[in-house]
Amino acid sequence: MNVLVLLASIIALNTANTTMAFQADPGAELKIVYYGAKLPDLTKGALDNYSAQRAYPCYGVIATEEAAFAAIHPDGNRTVQLWVEDTSLQAWEGGQVLCVNCKDNYYPLRVKIYYKTFRDQDMIETWIETVNEGKKPVTLTRFDSGHLPIRYDDVWISTLYGTWANEARVNSEPLTRGWKMIRNIDGARNSQTSHAEVMISLDGKPREDAGRIIGAALCWGGNYELRFQTNDSDYHHFFAGIYPEHDNVVLAKGKSFATPHLALTFSDSGLSGASRNFHRWGRKYMLRHGDVERRILLNSWEGVYFKINEAGMFQMMDDIAGMGGELFVMDDGWFGDKYPRNNDHTSLGDWVVDTRKLPGGVGSLVKAATEKGIKFGIWVEPEMTNTVSELYEAHPDWIVKSENREIVQGRGGTQVVLNLAKKEVQDFAFSVIDNLMKENPDIAYIKWDANCKLAMDCSNIAYWEGFAALCDRVREAYPDLTIQDCASGGGRANWGVLPWFDEFWVSDNTDALQRIYIQWGTSYFFPAIAMAAHISATPNHTVRRTTSLKYRIDVAMSGRLGMEIQPKDMTEEEKDICRKAISDYKRIRPIVQFGDIHRLVSPYDEKGYASMMYTSEKLDKAVVYWWRTHNFYDDHFPRLRLSGLDPDRKYKVTELNRLDLKPLAYEGKSFSGRFLMESGLEIPATNNVKASLRSDWSSRVLLLEAE
Ligand code: GLA
């Protein structure tokens, strides 16, 4: 039994390594008394030591306290006072669900506060459900998914910020007096400029392998707000929920509203420990097909952009098949009749094959891929249209727009968003996928893009409810399809979206150096199996940087490896290098895609290099990445001390993607896990390669195998 009932009113929820405890006295507010490392011997005496905090503060009765919830009753009263009526605890296969059933002590408003434990992953999801039990409508003006009081100390938070082509940059800062707000109102791409996740370090500046960390992820694809209040009390208060200012929820008689889930984890093994919890939970319960290895693919975008044609697609398929790849994805540019999609100004919504470019249609491409022994995938953007399109001409009323205002147009000067709150628009968006799949049942992969913000007034909640209905329908019809979530790059890296998707495109920026920073931040919350990372050309198309092919490979190999390049512009030697890399990646794929992350040296510490590794679940294998992040003559780097290994086992070291003329001194040799973690490995600062491959970038990938 996983629950410890200490008093009638005190409930402790336990996961394998954590405890969250509540005081739930009927006729009083729900209080939270503890969240942290497991306290199996939590006793009433110990609880006397805590000043229990309001678990889910509502506005009104103590009007000076920041609230997680606020409502306006039919008579205009704006106060809410929730009292516990009863609690129930139910087991599910992965843990338990606690429901604290609360009711306003005057008005007919019920709020159920849920906590769901994921025993083996040390996660607890919380959310609320509100029911209007009265006769007249109630307006909810704030409806956070959760609130967590954190005892005052040297508490730091690490959040992710960025923009297009620079997503998921890490920012760590102490929580000082006042407010820290992370808010995203893009509407459609809520992880492009900020992320709905945060790491909270309870022991000062966060470290990767030590220190107590609380991680939080709001599982919601729409607008959100994460807020930290540090005031004159003994607590930092953390709130997270849907951004309410554009979207009051009006609950009619008998109607209910459930918030998205806020996933919380606790680890005393630093940031990497919290990340491992997110990854395990994500792979098992959130990400689509989280236990299935991902295919190695070539995507056409950076290779040909809009210049799609049949011969070109056949050639790219031949090339990726020849390098050992498993999937070819035709990106944007394949559709449009009246308005051919030759650039981003037109055609979204007109999902008919442009037979001028592809005379044999999608069918001949799927057939060719099958003949070449690979799978075929295709790009779509089902939620969008351009004002220059046949779809828009036929259905100008299908787009999101504010009445009596000019339409705000996005990408290409003409892109607009279809209003998924409308059933007929959901039907249309479903037909985009459904028609493709019905005509070509062997399509194995869809890249689902979204390149426009919701720039005009609309209910963001209604949009995302429409999105959920659409995705449910797609998944019901096509449960096995691999679907990539892309939104101008990493604009939809969020646990509210990923349950329908297999992976996401981390960033349109494929520059290896900048990707180290972007992928580092992304890995705080998302596992490598979900992070699409592609080898691209140099100079890089976004930042114009020239890096060595090995460096680009060594970075892409730390995620879900793919290629995004025109192979016909590569030399035979470069293709050979990629062929070898793909074969090496197949060896390490289960370690990367199902393993545990240990981030070793952060690029954000600007030490001139960065390093991370994955260990297999059984600790019999590991793969280590080391990338130089700047190049100054006379740089000296310390030995690389590894992490997460079994100290008592011996591991043989093999360098992958080796181009160096001489093997590393320890190539093929074995060392104990203890030695590797305490003493560490010498990593030469440069790659000693033949003259034609020399570059100012150096990197290593090492495979460790237990004997
Ligand atoms: C977005 C995506 C890219 C590519 C283009 C196509 O920018 O992030 O990967 O698919 O759209 O227009």
Side-chain angles (χ1 to χ4, degrees), residues 34 59 61 76 119 126 130 393 397 442 529 666:
Y34 177 79
Y59 173 77
V61 176
R119 188 184 45 239
T126 183
T130 307
E393 284 168 0
D397 54 323
D442 288 336
I529 191 173
Y666 42 80

Coordinates of all heavy atoms in Angstrom, one line a residue, residues 34 59 61 76 119 126 130 393 397 442 529 666:
Y34 N 4.1 19.0 2.8 CA 5.5 18.6 2.5 C 5.5 18.1 1.1 O 4.6 17.5 0.6 CB 5.9 17.4 3.4 CG 7.3 16.9 3.1 CD1 8.4 17.5 3.5 CD2 7.4 15.7 2.3 CE1 9.7 17.0 3.1 CE2 8.7 15.2 2.0 CZ 9.8 15.9 2.4 OH 11.0 15.4 2.1
Y59 N -9.0 33.2 -4.7 CA -9.1 34.6 -4.4 C -10.4 35.0 -3.6 O -11.4 34.4 -3.8 CB -9.3 35.4 -5.7 CG -9.5 36.9 -5.5 CD1 -8.5 37.7 -5.1 CD2 -10.8 37.4 -5.5 CE1 -8.7 39.1 -4.8 CE2 -11.1 38.7 -5.2 CZ -10.0 39.5 -4.8 OH -10.3 40.8 -4.5
V61 N -11.3 35.4 0.1 CA -11.4 35.5 1.5 C -10.2 36.1 2.2 O -10.3 37.0 3.0 CB -11.7 34.1 2.1 CG1 -11.7 34.1 3.6 CG2 -13.0 33.5 1.5
G76 N -22.5 38.4 -8.7 CA -21.4 39.3 -8.8 C -20.3 39.2 -7.7 O -19.3 39.8 -7.8
R119 N 4.5 6.2 -9.7 CA 5.4 5.6 -8.6 C 6.8 5.5 -9.1 O 7.7 6.0 -8.5 CB 4.8 4.2 -8.2 CG 5.4 3.5 -7.1 CD 4.8 2.2 -6.9 NE 4.7 1.5 -8.2 CZ 3.6 1.0 -8.8 NH1 2.4 1.2 -8.1 NH2 3.6 0.4 -9.9
T126 N -0.8 17.2 -11.1 CA -2.0 17.8 -10.4 C -2.8 18.6 -11.4 O -2.3 19.2 -12.4 CB -1.5 18.7 -9.2 OG1 -2.6 19.2 -8.5 CG2 -0.6 19.8 -9.7
T130 N -13.6 21.9 -12.1 CA -14.6 22.8 -11.5 C -16.0 22.4 -12.1 O -16.1 22.2 -13.3 CB -14.3 24.2 -11.8 OG1 -13.0 24.5 -11.5 CG2 -15.2 25.2 -11.1
E393 N -10.4 31.1 -50.7 CA -11.4 31.7 -51.6 C -12.7 31.0 -51.3 O -13.8 31.7 -51.4 CB -10.9 31.4 -53.1 CG -9.8 32.4 -53.5 CD -9.2 32.0 -54.8 OE1 -9.6 31.0 -55.4 OE2 -8.3 32.8 -55.2
D397 N -14.5 32.4 -44.2 CA -15.0 32.4 -42.8 C -14.4 31.3 -41.9 O -14.7 31.2 -40.7 CB -16.5 32.2 -42.8 CG -16.9 31.0 -43.6 OD1 -16.3 30.6 -44.6 OD2 -17.9 30.3 -43.1
D442 N 0.7 3.3 -47.3 CA 2.1 3.0 -46.9 C 2.9 4.2 -46.4 O 4.1 4.0 -46.1 CB 2.9 2.3 -48.0 CG 2.3 0.8 -48.2 OD1 1.8 0.3 -47.3 OD2 2.5 0.3 -49.3
I529 N 14.8 10.6 -27.7 CA 14.0 9.9 -28.7 C 13.0 10.8 -29.3 O 12.6 10.6 -30.5 CB 13.2 8.7 -28.0 CG1 12.6 7.8 -29.1 CG2 12.2 9.2 -27.0 CD1 12.0 6.5 -28.5
Y666 N 43.3 4.9 -25.2 CA 42.6 3.8 -24.4 C 41.6 3.1 -25.3 O 40.7 2.4 -24.8 CB 41.9 4.5 -23.2 CG 41.3 5.8 -23.5 CD1 40.0 5.9 -24.1 CD2 41.9 7.0 -23.2 CE1 39.4 7.1 -24.4 CE2 41.3 8.2 -23.4 CZ 40.1 8.3 -24.1 OH 39.5 9.5 -24.3

